[in-house]
Amino acid sequence: MVNTGKPSRGCYMCRARRIKCDEGKPGCMRCQKSKRICPGYRDPFELKLRDESKSTKKKHNRRQNQAQQTVIHNVVNPTELYQDSFLDPALFYPAEVSNHRFSHSRNSSSSTNSSHESFGSNEDNDVNDLVRAFTHHLTIRGHMTTPLNQQAACYFLANFVLVPKEGTMRGYFDFVLPLLKQRDPSQGLLLAFSAVSLAALGTRPNSKALLPKADLWYLNALKEINSALRDPMTASSDATLVSVMLMASFEQLTPSRLKIGGWTSHIDGAVAVIKSRGSEQHKWQSKVAREIFISVRAHMTIHCIANSKAADPSVDWMAVEADDPVVQTFAAVNLKMAALRADTETTMLKLRSTENTDKVMKLLQRAQALDEEYLDWIQALPPGWEIKTVAWVDSAVQNLSTSLVHPGRVDAYGELWMAYKYNIVRSCRLFIYTTILRCVAWLGKSPDYRLTPEYTTASRICRQLVEDIVASVPYFFGWNSENDGAMKARANFACGSTDDPAVKPLTGIFVMWPLFAAAASDFATPSQRIFLRGRLKHVAEIMGINQALILFESQLVHPSIYIMRERANLVSSTYCESDDSTATLTPPPAPPQQLQQQQQHHQQSGWIPRTFGFGENGFFQNAVAMKQHMQQYLEGYELAGF
């Protein structure tokens, strides 16, 4: 036996870094100061191993196996579920309940009233217990570095899950925590959380090798969710609904290799689960259930606005009321916005009859009234929602595509959630004025719709809306936050330090849609468009929100492109505007028969876009088709300066 000296009692991380550990409990200060999660210390019995004899090894292995058996009892197919999974059951349970016997059953209910009510009555303590379970009660055996399971779970909680706090703080996916903390969590939920956590970790620039494994867990989760949907006992449970929402988040994060419409299909799936459960209030009594319903409603509404479709009328989406009237009113107005976008196809009517004219006039009046409702919502906001201008950038920016700030005003908000709501309203108002101008152009009050009073009003308001979105972008990306406390996005994530200066990927999800809406507007200046599209690319490539890549690759402007298309369908001369240049679209000299053949060809191609959603299947499904068919659609026309 060789004497190798006194064994180190330092934590795994300090030993791997070859630095002295202060051996603090439950975690050392070295890891805390370097913003790392302390993985813990070796078993004291392991430190006593001074030789390699078989008897000593057997004692050590026997003791280790006994410790593991106190955590895992009666697990169905434990090898299949946990061998390669990074969801060790000890991950979700504090030490004081680790000895409890629990089993995973595919037919067991995923939520109970008792667990829901405990979450509602003692929310802060419940969340803190779970966070401590992730950070201090994890058992690590035989690892020199933090295992992948802990890295992925903690990374997702620290970057994508917001926990509500006193005051105006709002949560985001916080309802996942009590469902995971249950003693008998749904197997589908565990697999879905595994998939999205690993995907979140794998979409970082230097972690792409993890994505194939994330795809594997995604497929396993889909299989388990489909099994739960076939069981009447679990089909409409909270856990099944949350599992579907986690699958939608997976599609937001990962590249669209499996299915381009994955996000849309999962949102539609969540709506189907709600339909099967019913929207009556008594079915959503617990705090967790209400938060899940409100979250699905919010995601569904954005999905409908993006795809120009109305919300499912068979569900009473306003039946479950949010605790905050600001949220409830916001949801009601956004549902009207989705309905308006779905009806914007009225501007594609080819026959200028009295009946069709009346339809377009009513659509115009609805759009104007909806804009007033958004203004009323803004005016009714409580005092804590004020926007504060903290800086004015006068100097020129060398590279707008990579800059965190655009020359001009810089605004700060009370918290991240407020900035998100403000920008959604601004984006919706931009689309409202797109509808208004399309109606004006269809009605033909002037040979050029840009000569109308409505265009003058839209130009003034939309330029201001784009400027407001541009001024909010530095807040989302932490510009000058180290010197100005107002620029620190106030948010309470489920894991990690509250004063972490790093910009969280969740901000990319919050800001990507407003970035696209402003960059695609006719009223954005060329420099604003470069800046906004540069931020979209950053969200996709650096933050790992690959849904932003679809938005980045779609280089279109509105409303001019729609007005141009609609007038082309009418086979007449038209004019359109893009940036600071004017484009004239003039049909070439061709016999009517040739034009008719071209129109039939476009109809057969399957790309007859009706609104911003680009066709019956919506924007996200048809973004690629739009890019491929744009030149074919305009074949035979001269298009200059557009």
Side-chain angles (χ1 to χ4, degrees):
M1 182 176 65
V2 179
N3 184 10
T4 58
K6 183 179 179 181
S8 172
R9 296 181 179 272
C11 71
Y12 285 103
M13 184 65 71
C14 291
R15 291 175 60 224
R17 298 174 62 196
R18 297 182 181 275
I19 60 176
K20 183 175 178 58
C21 180
D22 60 8
E23 302 179 16
K25 300 294 189 301
C28 72
M29 294 299 296
R30 291 276 191 178
C31 293
Q32 186 174 348
K33 289 181 180 179
S34 61
K35 299 187 182 300
R36 292 179 170 87
I37 299 176
C38 184
Y41 304 89
R42 290 189 290 179
D43 193 316
F45 182 81
E46 183 182 354
L47 297 176
K48 297 179 181 180
L49 297 179
R50 308 306 298 158
D51 61 19
E52 296 294 329
S53 65
K54 294 183 179 180
S55 60
T56 308
K57 282 186 177 181
K58 287 181 179 180
K59 291 180 182 179
H60 177 239
N61 293 336
R62 189 182 305 116
R63 178 167 179 171
Q64 194 173 40
N65 292 334
Q66 291 175 355
Q68 291 178 348
Q69 290 173 1
T70 62
V71 179
I72 305 177
H73 285 284
N74 299 332
V75 179
V76 178
N77 295 328
T79 303
E80 177 183 352
L81 183 59
Y82 295 115
Q83 183 179 19
D84 192 37
S85 172
F86 48 97
L87 280 177
D88 189 323
L91 190 65
F92 300 103
Y93 300 96
E96 56 268 20
V97 299
S98 63
N99 291 327
H100 179 79
R101 299 172 63 90
F102 54 90
S103 63
H104 297 271
S105 174
R106 183 173 296 176
N107 297 325
S108 63
S109 175
S110 62
S111 59
T112 60
N113 292 332
S114 61
S115 64
H116 287 171
E117 296 307 325
S118 64
F119 174 72
S121 60
N122 197 9
E123 180 176 321
D124 291 337
N125 291 336
D126 194 54
V127 172
N128 290 336
D129 287 344
L130 183 61
V131 173
R132 283 196 295 270
F134 271 88
T135 55
H136 299 313
H137 296 288
L138 300 177
T139 58
I140 303 176
R141 301 179 179 90
H143 291 278
M144 293 299 294
T145 59
T146 305
L148 183 61
N149 59 329
Q150 299 171 30
Q151 293 183 43
C154 291
Y155 180 80
F156 184 76
L157 291 176
N159 290 276
F160 292 94
V161 178
L162 285 178
V163 179
K165 219 173 184 179
E166 61 182 19
T168 58
M169 286 286 187
R170 299 295 184 273
Y172 184 84
F173 268 99
D174 53 295
F175 44 76
V176 174
L177 303 177
L179 294 179
L180 290 176
K181 190 178 172 62
Q182 289 178 351
R183 293 183 175 181
D184 190 14
S186 164
Q187 187 172 346
L189 178 64
L190 293 176
L191 293 172
F193 185 80
S194 299
V196 72
S197 297
L198 190 56
L201 190 66
T203 52
R204 298 182 305 171
N206 298 324
S207 304
K208 305 298 184 183
L210 297 176
L211 291 179
K213 189 174 183 179
D215 286 341
L216 177 62
W217 283 106
Y218 172 85
L219 296 175
N220 291 337
L222 284 181
K223 180 180 178 181
E224 191 64 34
I225 292 172
N226 288 332
S227 177
L229 291 173
R230 289 192 295 267
D231 188 339
M233 297 294 295
T234 59
S236 59
S237 65
D238 289 350
T240 300
L241 187 54
V242 172
S243 300
V244 175
M245 294 301 294
L246 288 173
M247 292 290 93
S249 294
F250 180 95
E251 293 289 352
Q252 282 187 312
L253 298 175
T254 57
S256 300
R257 300 189 306 274
L258 299 177
K259 185 180 179 183
I260 192 170
W263 179 72
T264 295
S265 64
H266 289 307
I267 296 298
D268 290 339
V271 173
V273 173
I274 287 183
K275 288 175 62 178
S276 66
R277 181 169 175 173
S279 55
E280 295 82 1
Q281 284 192 0
H282 70 275
K283 296 182 178 179
W284 305 90
Q285 288 184 346
S286 70
K287 180 178 177 61
V288 173
R290 289 197 306 271
E291 292 298 328
I292 295 172
F293 183 95
I294 293 170
S295 177
V296 174
R297 181 177 66 189
H299 284 80
M300 178 276 307
T301 306
I302 296 298
H303 156 65
C304 289
I305 294 173
N307 291 278
S308 299
K309 57 184 289 188
D312 193 320
S314 62
V315 179
D316 184 3
W317 292 106
M318 301 307 297
V320 178
E321 297 186 5
D323 296 335
D324 191 340
V326 173
V327 177
Q328 191 71 3
T329 306
F330 181 77
V333 181
N334 284 342
L335 287 171
K336 293 182 180 179
M337 180 66 202
L340 179 73
R341 299 271 291 147
D343 293 340
T344 308
E345 64 180 359
T346 304
T347 58
M348 294 190 67
L349 295 172
K350 294 185 178 182
L351 181 61
R352 295 184 181 275
S353 63
T354 303
E355 181 182 359
N356 288 346
T357 300
D358 185 57
K359 290 181 180 179
V360 176
M361 283 295 300
K362 289 182 178 179
L363 181 65
L364 174 61
Q365 293 169 1
R366 281 176 57 195
Q368 293 171 337
L370 185 58
D371 188 56
E372 291 295 330
E373 289 194 47
Y374 275 118
L375 290 177
D376 292 341
W377 180 84
I378 294 175
Q379 293 175 359
L381 291 174
W385 284 70
E386 290 93 350
I387 303 173
K388 181 181 178 182
T389 300
V390 296
W392 188 279
V393 178
D394 292 321
S395 58
V397 177
Q398 293 182 353
N399 190 348
L400 284 171
S401 62
T402 59
S403 175
L404 292 178
V405 64
H406 185 275
R409 192 177 83 246
V410 177
D411 292 338
Y413 298 80
E415 62 171 277
L416 185 64
W417 187 84
M418 296 178 182
Y420 168 69
K421 295 294 184 185
Y422 267 117
N423 276 346
I424 291 296
V425 170
R426 292 161 182 160
S427 303
C428 289
R429 293 188 68 200
L430 286 173
F431 295 134
I432 286 175
Y433 279 96
T434 291
T435 301
I436 290 174
L437 293 180
R438 290 174 66 179
C439 291
V440 170
W442 190 96
L443 292 170
K445 295 181 179 179
S446 172
D448 190 340
Y449 72 97
R450 294 168 298 176
L451 302 178
T452 61
E454 290 85 355
Y455 183 85
T456 302
T457 301
S459 177
R460 173 178 54 83
I461 295 177
C462 291
R463 292 183 190 278
Q464 183 62 52
L465 291 172
V466 172
E467 183 180 343
D468 291 342
I469 293 176
V470 170
S472 72
V473 171
Y475 177 79
F476 283 95
F477 292 94
W479 176 79
N480 199 35
S481 59
E482 65 278 4
N483 300 320
D484 189 348
M487 292 300 293
K488 292 182 179 179
R490 290 180 58 236
N492 187 40
F493 286 88
C495 187
S497 175
T498 56
D499 58 354
D500 187 356
V503 178
K504 305 292 187 177
L506 179 61
T507 62
I509 293 180
F510 282 174
V511 79
M512 67 177 176
W513 183 249
L515 287 175
F516 172 75
S521 174
D522 283 343
F523 303 101
T525 65
S527 65
Q528 288 174 334
R529 185 168 288 116
I530 293 173
F531 170 71
L532 293 167
R533 286 177 51 77
R535 290 293 86 200
L536 262 180
K537 187 176 182 181
H538 177 86
V539 170
E541 295 182 351
I542 305 302
M543 291 186 166
I545 315 299
N546 282 278
Q547 194 179 66
L549 188 61
I550 302 176
L551 301 176
F552 172 77
E553 292 179 347
S554 178
Q555 301 187 33
L556 69 151
V557 290
H558 59 84
S560 58
I561 195 170
Y562 307 111
I563 296 173
M564 175 186 65
R565 178 204 61 200
E566 289 154 9
R567 291 193 173 183
N569 286 340
L570 294 172
V571 197
S572 61
S573 300
T574 188
Y575 300 86
C576 64
E577 181 190 24
S578 175
D579 298 340
D580 300 325
S581 61
T582 302
T584 303
L585 182 66
T586 306
Q593 183 179 3
Q594 180 179 347
L595 293 176
Q596 185 177 3
Q597 291 176 352
Q598 289 180 358
Q599 291 178 351
Q600 291 176 353
H601 173 73
H602 297 322
Q603 292 174 357
Q604 294 172 358
S605 68
W607 187 73
I608 302 296
R610 49 176 185 162
T611 59
F612 180 72
F614 291 107
E616 296 295 335
N617 294 328
F619 169 73
F620 288 107
Q621 296 93 320
N622 290 282
V624 177
M626 181 275 296
K627 187 175 181 182
Q628 294 174 348
H629 290 290
M630 176 62 75
Q631 294 180 346
Q632 187 180 33
Y633 182 79
L634 297 174
E635 182 180 359
Y637 293 89
E638 293 182 3
L639 188 61
F642 184 77

